mmCIF file of all heavy atoms in Angstrom:
data_model
loop_
_atom_site.group_PDB
_atom_site.id
_atom_site.type_symbol
_atom_site.label_atom_id
_atom_site.label_comp_id
_atom_site.label_asym_id
_atom_site.label_seq_id
_atom_site.Cartn_x
_atom_site.Cartn_y
_atom_site.Cartn_z
ATOM 1 N N ILE A 508 -2.087 -6.360 117.504
ATOM 2 C CA ILE A 508 -2.542 -5.802 116.183
ATOM 3 C C ILE A 508 -4.064 -5.610 116.092
ATOM 4 O O ILE A 508 -4.575 -4.659 115.617
ATOM 5 C CB ILE A 508 -2.003 -6.656 115.020
ATOM 6 C CG1 ILE A 508 -0.439 -6.669 115.059
ATOM 7 C CG2 ILE A 508 -2.526 -6.222 113.676
ATOM 8 C CD1 ILE A 508 0.142 -7.618 114.042
ATOM 9 N N LEU A 509 -4.736 -6.638 116.599
ATOM 10 C CA LEU A 509 -6.260 -6.624 116.562
ATOM 11 C C LEU A 509 -6.773 -5.508 117.469
ATOM 12 O O LEU A 509 -7.673 -4.807 117.147
ATOM 13 C CB LEU A 509 -6.809 -7.998 116.954
ATOM 14 C CG LEU A 509 -6.515 -9.096 115.992
ATOM 15 C CD1 LEU A 509 -7.076 -10.415 116.528
ATOM 16 C CD2 LEU A 509 -7.073 -8.848 114.606
ATOM 17 N N ASP A 510 -6.071 -5.326 118.611
ATOM 18 C CA ASP A 510 -6.525 -4.277 119.536
ATOM 19 C C ASP A 510 -6.304 -2.890 118.916
ATOM 20 O O ASP A 510 -7.090 -1.965 119.108
ATOM 21 C CB ASP A 510 -5.880 -4.322 120.862
ATOM 22 C CG ASP A 510 -6.210 -5.632 121.613
ATOM 23 O OD1 ASP A 510 -7.370 -6.124 121.395
ATOM 24 O OD2 ASP A 510 -5.427 -6.053 122.462
ATOM 25 N N SER A 511 -5.264 -2.689 118.193
ATOM 26 C CA SER A 511 -5.016 -1.424 117.488
ATOM 27 C C SER A 511 -5.998 -1.165 116.429
ATOM 28 O O SER A 511 -6.418 -0.047 116.182
ATOM 29 C CB SER A 511 -3.605 -1.375 116.946
ATOM 30 O OG SER A 511 -3.379 -2.365 115.859
ATOM 31 N N LEU A 512 -6.445 -2.315 115.633
ATOM 32 C CA LEU A 512 -7.482 -2.073 114.628
ATOM 33 C C LEU A 512 -8.849 -1.722 115.286
ATOM 34 O O LEU A 512 -9.767 -1.238 114.569
ATOM 35 C CB LEU A 512 -7.637 -3.407 113.850
ATOM 36 C CG LEU A 512 -6.381 -3.724 112.922
ATOM 37 C CD1 LEU A 512 -6.579 -5.104 112.251
ATOM 38 C CD2 LEU A 512 -6.154 -2.672 111.864
ATOM 39 N N ALA A 513 -9.060 -2.095 116.478
ATOM 40 C CA ALA A 513 -10.363 -1.765 117.130
ATOM 41 C C ALA A 513 -10.651 -0.287 117.174
ATOM 42 O O ALA A 513 -11.796 0.146 117.259
ATOM 43 C CB ALA A 513 -10.468 -2.387 118.519
ATOM 44 N N ALA A 514 -9.596 0.477 117.280
ATOM 45 C CA ALA A 514 -9.667 1.941 117.214
ATOM 46 C C ALA A 514 -10.081 2.523 115.888
ATOM 47 O O ALA A 514 -10.370 3.742 115.798
ATOM 48 C CB ALA A 514 -8.386 2.573 117.724
ATOM 49 N N GLU A 515 -10.177 1.704 114.861
ATOM 50 C CA GLU A 515 -10.470 2.097 113.538
ATOM 51 C C GLU A 515 -11.765 1.258 113.055
ATOM 52 O O GLU A 515 -11.625 0.298 112.351
ATOM 53 C CB GLU A 515 -9.380 1.919 112.470
ATOM 54 C CG GLU A 515 -8.102 2.650 112.940
ATOM 55 C CD GLU A 515 -6.940 2.379 111.983
ATOM 56 O OE1 GLU A 515 -7.141 1.570 111.031
ATOM 57 O OE2 GLU A 515 -5.817 2.920 112.166
ATOM 58 N N PRO A 516 -12.930 1.673 113.481
ATOM 59 C CA PRO A 516 -14.093 0.867 113.173
ATOM 60 C C PRO A 516 -14.381 0.795 111.663
ATOM 61 O O PRO A 516 -15.194 -0.003 111.243
ATOM 62 C CB PRO A 516 -15.279 1.587 113.962
ATOM 63 C CG PRO A 516 -14.694 2.964 114.222
ATOM 64 C CD PRO A 516 -13.293 2.903 114.215
ATOM 65 N N THR A 517 -13.930 1.804 110.756
ATOM 66 C CA THR A 517 -14.241 1.737 109.402
ATOM 67 C C THR A 517 -13.339 0.753 108.651
ATOM 68 O O THR A 517 -13.672 0.382 107.451
ATOM 69 C CB THR A 517 -13.939 3.132 108.833
ATOM 70 O OG1 THR A 517 -12.568 3.514 109.000
ATOM 71 C CG2 THR A 517 -14.792 4.127 109.457
ATOM 72 N N THR A 518 -12.280 0.134 109.299
ATOM 73 C CA THR A 518 -11.424 -0.720 108.632
ATOM 74 C C THR A 518 -12.158 -2.126 108.438
ATOM 75 O O THR A 518 -12.823 -2.627 109.267
ATOM 76 C CB THR A 518 -10.214 -1.033 109.432
ATOM 77 O OG1 THR A 518 -9.522 0.210 109.603
ATOM 78 C CG2 THR A 518 -9.224 -2.144 108.785
ATOM 79 N N VAL A 519 -12.077 -2.650 107.258
ATOM 80 C CA VAL A 519 -12.755 -3.903 106.823
ATOM 81 C C VAL A 519 -11.654 -4.943 106.952
ATOM 82 O O VAL A 519 -10.479 -4.876 106.385
ATOM 83 C CB VAL A 519 -13.259 -3.831 105.389
ATOM 84 C CG1 VAL A 519 -13.951 -5.135 105.097
ATOM 85 C CG2 VAL A 519 -14.371 -2.749 105.365
ATOM 86 N N VAL A 520 -12.037 -6.116 107.519
ATOM 87 C CA VAL A 520 -11.114 -7.287 107.686
ATOM 88 C C VAL A 520 -11.669 -8.337 106.765
ATOM 89 O O VAL A 520 -12.716 -8.789 106.904
ATOM 90 C CB VAL A 520 -11.032 -7.772 109.115
ATOM 91 C CG1 VAL A 520 -10.189 -8.992 109.279
ATOM 92 C CG2 VAL A 520 -10.579 -6.601 110.079
ATOM 93 N N PHE A 521 -10.732 -8.850 105.900
ATOM 94 C CA PHE A 521 -10.950 -10.026 104.992
ATOM 95 C C PHE A 521 -10.203 -11.145 105.428
ATOM 96 O O PHE A 521 -9.065 -11.093 105.774
ATOM 97 C CB PHE A 521 -10.532 -9.584 103.624
ATOM 98 C CG PHE A 521 -11.725 -9.052 102.763
ATOM 99 C CD1 PHE A 521 -11.770 -7.623 102.637
ATOM 100 C CD2 PHE A 521 -12.556 -9.929 102.086
ATOM 101 C CE1 PHE A 521 -12.904 -7.209 101.792
ATOM 102 C CE2 PHE A 521 -13.476 -9.381 101.230
ATOM 103 C CZ PHE A 521 -13.730 -8.003 101.134
ATOM 104 N N ILE A 522 -11.020 -12.330 105.606
ATOM 105 C CA ILE A 522 -10.307 -13.578 105.933
ATOM 106 C C ILE A 522 -10.342 -14.475 104.641
ATOM 107 O O ILE A 522 -11.436 -14.806 104.245
ATOM 108 C CB ILE A 522 -11.038 -14.243 107.129
ATOM 109 C CG1 ILE A 522 -10.939 -13.379 108.383
ATOM 110 C CG2 ILE A 522 -10.425 -15.542 107.360
ATOM 111 C CD1 ILE A 522 -11.678 -13.823 109.546
ATOM 112 N N SER A 523 -9.242 -14.740 104.121
ATOM 113 C CA SER A 523 -9.150 -15.299 102.752
ATOM 114 C C SER A 523 -8.803 -16.796 102.942
ATOM 115 O O SER A 523 -7.775 -17.184 103.604
ATOM 116 C CB SER A 523 -7.995 -14.625 101.882
ATOM 117 O OG SER A 523 -7.829 -15.307 100.650
ATOM 118 N N ALA A 524 -9.695 -17.664 102.437
ATOM 119 C CA ALA A 524 -9.495 -19.114 102.553
ATOM 120 C C ALA A 524 -9.846 -19.709 101.305
ATOM 121 O O ALA A 524 -10.934 -19.427 100.582
ATOM 122 C CB ALA A 524 -10.389 -19.644 103.592
ATOM 123 N N LEU A 525 -9.112 -20.702 100.798
ATOM 124 C CA LEU A 525 -9.338 -21.417 99.533
ATOM 125 C C LEU A 525 -9.710 -22.868 99.894
ATOM 126 O O LEU A 525 -8.861 -23.623 100.514
ATOM 127 C CB LEU A 525 -8.131 -21.425 98.688
ATOM 128 C CG LEU A 525 -8.224 -22.041 97.279
ATOM 129 C CD1 LEU A 525 -9.161 -21.172 96.415
ATOM 130 C CD2 LEU A 525 -6.810 -22.110 96.562
#
Side-chain angles (χ1 to χ4, degrees):
I508 297 178
L509 295 177
D510 292 336
S511 63
L512 293 176
E515 303 174 359
T517 59
T518 299
V519 179
V520 178
F521 266 92
I522 299 175
S523 177
L525 184 67

